[in-house]
Amino acid sequence: MEFLTDKIRANIYKKCVNRDNLETFFDGNQGDFNFEMLLIDYYNILMFKRTTNDITQYEINNLELINKYTVKELKELICDFQFVKSLLTAGITFYELARLDRQQIVRISHDWHNKNDLTSRVLYHINYMSNIPSYDLQTLIDYYVEYININGKDLITHDEGADIIMQYLSELKLSDENKYDEFLLYATSYYYRLMTFLKRDCRKDICYQDIIFLKKIEIYGVKSLLRCIKKDEELLSDVIKQCLYYKTLSEPVVEEADGYLDKKLSKRIKRKLNNLSGNN
């Protein structure tokens, strides 16, 4: 679902990158929307930076201006090159972020926002709604894959992305435990695939606890498996992170893993893994 704010932001980005009609960028009704959208992104980024103590005095001053004046009054600042540059930089930066990053910025900003003319406007609330995460299983995985593709494939980035997904899963558990359980079973299936693939030919040292859990996946029923995962936070974290990591593997590696597992696993285990992941 594409929100109005997504369309406005995409149009702004396209114009900025192509330097298309920038002299009329803030003219007319569309110009008003452009200015308000950029102001929202700038405000959210400033609020986020304030909570992380990574904000300059110039940015603090602009934050105070946004809190004090109406959007109409603030538009008079389009004559201020430095202010407009800050708006455009914020807009381009926000547009290029992964959705997980956008969602975190908007969420934190909204939690700490001030009541002012900007935050009272419809576009501000539409933007907040557009950045509420979906808790759909495949969408959560897509968020993570996009996060890694944009921010890099180092271990720190993997951990940071996984931590956000786990935060969302904690929220999902409170609102819909059945969907939460579905994700855990799906993750367990891919955890088993990855760990079995990695430990071939002793390419990866597998600790005793991992070996025991792999055996439990093979013999436990769904309810027992869920109990086993839920009672051990370290195991739960590892299962989710390994599943997410598997989803970022390159196509050649996935093909190699699929070929190995197809030969290695029995029909019973393959069927069980397919059932756990919903691929019946």
Side-chain angles (χ1 to χ4, degrees):
M1 178 181 180
E2 187 177 25
F3 284 82
L4 173 63
T5 49
D6 299 325
K7 294 180 180 179
I8 297 172
R9 190 177 286 115
N11 184 57
I12 289 172
Y13 184 81
K14 179 180 177 182
K15 285 182 176 294
C16 288
V17 170
N18 296 329
R19 299 182 179 276
D20 180 27
N21 295 324
L22 292 182
E23 66 276 4
T24 60
F25 194 69
F26 294 120
D27 292 348
N29 290 334
Q30 186 58 51
D32 289 340
F33 278 119
N34 288 342
F35 180 77
E36 190 172 333
M37 189 73 260
L38 287 169
L39 198 61
I40 288 169
D41 287 345
Y42 187 42
Y43 176 80
N44 284 336
I45 288 174
L46 291 183
M47 288 295 293
F48 178 80
K49 293 180 76 171
R50 191 178 74 170
T51 62
T52 59
N53 293 317
D54 184 30
I55 188 169
T56 67
Q57 187 57 51
Y58 174 75
E59 291 170 332
I60 292 172
N61 293 341
N62 284 340
L63 194 54
E64 291 174 351
L65 287 176
I66 296 172
N67 284 325
K68 183 177 180 181
Y69 294 103
T70 65
V71 171
K72 184 177 181 180
E73 290 170 329
L74 289 167
K75 196 177 178 186
E76 296 178 10
L77 291 173
I78 61 173
C79 297
D80 183 333
F81 173 78
Q82 187 60 41
F83 185 77
V84 172
K85 180 182 177 182
S86 297
L87 287 184
L88 293 174
T89 300
I92 292 171
T93 298
F94 191 86
Y95 183 84
E96 292 179 338
L97 290 174
R99 283 172 291 179
L100 288 182
D101 285 322
R102 290 188 186 187
Q103 291 159 5
Q104 293 299 296
I105 288 172
V106 171
R107 174 180 289 196
I108 290 172
S109 173
H110 187 268
D111 287 345
W112 292 92
H113 80 278
N114 301 97
K115 188 174 182 181
N116 56 47
D117 182 60
L118 179 67
T119 60
S120 300
R121 288 177 168 251
V122 173
L123 199 63
Y124 175 85
H125 294 288
I126 292 175
N127 186 63
Y128 174 69
M129 293 296 295
S130 72
N131 284 284
I132 292 176
S134 166
Y135 296 96
D136 171 72
L137 187 155
Q138 187 56 53
T139 304
L140 289 173
I141 292 171
D142 290 343
Y143 286 160
Y144 181 81
V145 172
E146 179 196 60
Y147 183 86
I148 298 302
N149 288 338
I150 290 177
N151 292 308
K153 297 185 177 182
D154 57 278
L155 291 177
I156 293 176
T157 304
H158 274 287
D159 282 341
E160 289 173 345
D163 286 343
I164 299 174
I165 295 298
M166 290 178 69
Q167 172 193 342
Y168 289 171
L169 289 175
S170 296
E171 295 165 6
L172 178 61
K173 182 180 180 181
L174 296 175
S175 62
D176 192 333
E177 191 162 7
N178 287 331
K179 277 191 175 182
Y180 174 75
D181 289 350
E182 179 186 340
F183 193 103
L184 292 189
L185 294 173
Y186 180 93
T188 300
S189 171
Y190 283 94
Y191 167 90
Y192 185 95
R193 288 177 167 93
L194 181 63
M195 297 297 281
T196 301
F197 175 60
L198 291 179
K199 75 185 179 89
R200 76 199 191 287
D201 302 326
C202 299
R203 292 193 190 185
K204 176 178 173 62
D205 293 330
I206 303 295
C207 69
Y208 179 73
Q209 289 83 354
D210 289 330
I211 293 173
I212 293 297
F213 183 59
L214 288 174
K215 286 297 181 184
K216 288 179 178 179
I217 294 173
E218 293 175 359
I219 62 177
Y220 276 14
V222 168
K223 291 183 178 179
S224 297
L225 200 52
L226 285 171
R227 278 197 300 269
C228 177
I229 300 170
K230 288 180 178 181
K231 72 179 183 180
D232 186 336
E233 290 188 8
E234 186 176 342
L235 174 62
L236 186 149
S237 174
D238 193 37
V239 166
I240 292 171
K241 287 183 176 181
Q242 297 295 352
C243 167
L244 293 173
Y245 178 75
Y246 183 95
K247 291 298 178 176
T248 66
L249 295 176
S250 65
E251 188 173 334
V253 175
V254 171
E255 289 178 356
E256 182 185 354
D258 286 347
Y260 173 79
L261 295 172
D262 188 54
K263 296 177 182 177
K264 173 74 174 176
L265 304 181
S266 67
K267 290 183 179 180
R268 182 184 70 82
I269 295 301
K270 290 178 191 175
R271 185 166 55 251
K272 183 167 188 177
L273 295 178
N274 286 335
N275 289 336
L276 291 176
S277 61
N279 298 320
N280 300 325

